[in-house]
DNA sequence: GGTGAAAGGAGTCATCC
DNA sequence: GGATGACTCCTTTCACC
């Protein structure tokens, strides 16, 4: 079921480009930007949501404002065996503070991105949640000192304006 | 100017909690959820935007749908010296495919998160953009095979309902 | 798949509490 | 700060193309 026949035309790409950095744009503004009727644009947006091209609309919140000042990446090595790997992945994903779980190439099995209030709460979380997951062999933690850039915007190919 | 007197009460936290996973919620629905008048809620949302507690509203787009199937993390080691470091950070941040730039603790200087169409385009980007940045000593690339979880939602302390 | 119009609903602002 | 009400604009639907 991966990679269904999701075919996106230039208009879809324009919509995605506008919405990925301004998700609360009104449908009528969206329609003005791309020179179409609001109803037609609305239908396209709904289809993009249905097809899961648009997965969710998020408000990006400043972590420090809600006392989540520590960001860390942790490499997690696990015992061999693919069934256990996807178990571990799921258990990691269930931890709310874990924002990302990636299965990676190379010796280490997973890379996770995690946010907590401070280093003490990271330590507590590692003891209480991470270490209790079976089949984890070792972890290697990288603490972020400063985040220079953090955005989820994708590079969407700019639609080629047709010559009228 | 970092950490201004941003004081968030329970109502603000409720708003953030609702909007971080549903940024296109209408203001009136938001008002219903937290039992307040729409105008009062709107004012709070605007203040949260002004104070940069809400940084942006994003549509989370499925990367595969727009031909961005490769995700990689790259550790970048640079020459010593703090001034050169922030220069490098800025140049890394200017690359559109680079979604995140973190200054990290330890031997390596930076960790970046980068998305491209495929491994060939990652190679091209490393040759054309990364390698041309001065003072970069070495890079270590980690390719993601599969992403199990990827969300930017923060753990916001659940407001304690006051006893009425 | 897009348009245009019409009804219902939401955003916005001034005013009062 | 929050509520109310009025005005305006937007969303949503549907018949038509």
């Amino acid at each position: 079921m991966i990679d269904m026949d999701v075919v996106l035309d230039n208009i879809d790409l324009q919509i995605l480009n506008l919405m990925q950095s301004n998700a609360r744009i009104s449908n009528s503004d969206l329609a003005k930007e791309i020179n179409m009727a609001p109803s037609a644009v609305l239908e396209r947006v709904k289809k993009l949501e249905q097809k899961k091209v648009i997965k969710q609309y998020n408000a990006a919140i400043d972590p420090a404002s809600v006392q989540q000042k520590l960001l860390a990446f942790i490499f997690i090595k696990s015992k061999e065996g693919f069934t256990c790997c996807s178990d571990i992945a799921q258990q990691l994903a269930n931890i709310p503070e874990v924002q990302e779980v990636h299965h990676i190439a190379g010796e280490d099995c997973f890379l996770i991105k995690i946010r907590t209030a401070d280093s003490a709460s990271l330590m507590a979380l590692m003891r209480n949640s991470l270490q209790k997951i079976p089949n984890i062999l070792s972890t290697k933690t990288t603490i972020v000192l400063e985040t220079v850039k953090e955005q989820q915007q994708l590079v969407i190919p700019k639609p080629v304006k047709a010559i009228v």
Side-chain angles (χ1 to χ4, degrees), chain A:
Chain A
M1 285 295 284
I2 296 169
D3 263 352
M4 307 161 290
D5 49 286
V6 175
V7 182
L8 304 178
D9 62 12
N10 278 352
I11 297 174
D12 288 325
L13 296 179
Q14 281 185 68
I15 292 173
L16 293 176
N17 233 330
L18 288 164
M19 295 199 88
Q20 76 169 335
S21 55
N22 182 15
R24 275 181 79 81
I25 188 173
S26 78
N27 187 59
S28 64
D29 283 352
L30 202 53
K32 278 171 207 155
E33 289 278 352
I34 60 188
N35 296 312
M36 289 215 314
S39 53
V41 173
L42 187 64
E43 197 175 333
R44 276 173 177 271
V45 171
K46 291 220 164 132
K47 278 192 187 153
L48 290 170
E49 291 169 1
Q50 269 176 11
K51 289 191 282 189
K52 303 281 178 198
V53 174
I54 297 175
K55 295 188 291 182
Q56 205 179 31
Y57 299 103
N58 299 115
I61 296 167
D62 172 43
S65 299
V66 289
Q67 319 310 327
Q68 297 280 294
K69 300 197 181 177
L70 192 100
L71 174 61
F73 290 87
I74 307 180
F75 287 89
I76 294 172
K77 208 176 284 192
S78 70
K79 283 193 192 151
E80 300 291 322
F82 196 75
T83 49
C84 101
C85 257
S86 60
D87 265 14
I88 292 178
Q90 208 47 60
Q91 287 177 81
L92 291 169
N94 287 341
I95 303 171
E97 287 85 354
V98 171
Q99 294 192 321
E100 303 182 15
V101 178
H102 304 284
H103 190 177
I104 60 177
E107 240 187 308
D108 295 294
C109 206
F110 297 104
L111 173 58
I112 69 174
K113 180 179 178 183
I114 187 165
R115 258 181 216 285
T116 59
D118 49 36
S119 50
S121 36
L122 178 62
M123 284 302 291
L125 199 144
M126 288 183 74
R127 261 198 296 273
N128 296 329
S129 301
L130 274 197
Q131 313 276 14
K132 291 194 176 156
I133 297 176
N135 298 316
I136 287 184
L137 288 181
S138 68
T139 64
K140 196 177 71 189
T141 304
T142 297
I143 300 287
V144 171
L145 300 177
E146 184 195 11
T147 293
V148 180
K149 178 183 189 178
E150 187 171 30
Q151 57 158 53
Q152 53 169 27
Q153 266 103 304
L154 300 173
V155 178
I156 294 177
K158 277 266 186 271
V160 185
K161 267 265 163 68
I163 298 162
V164 184

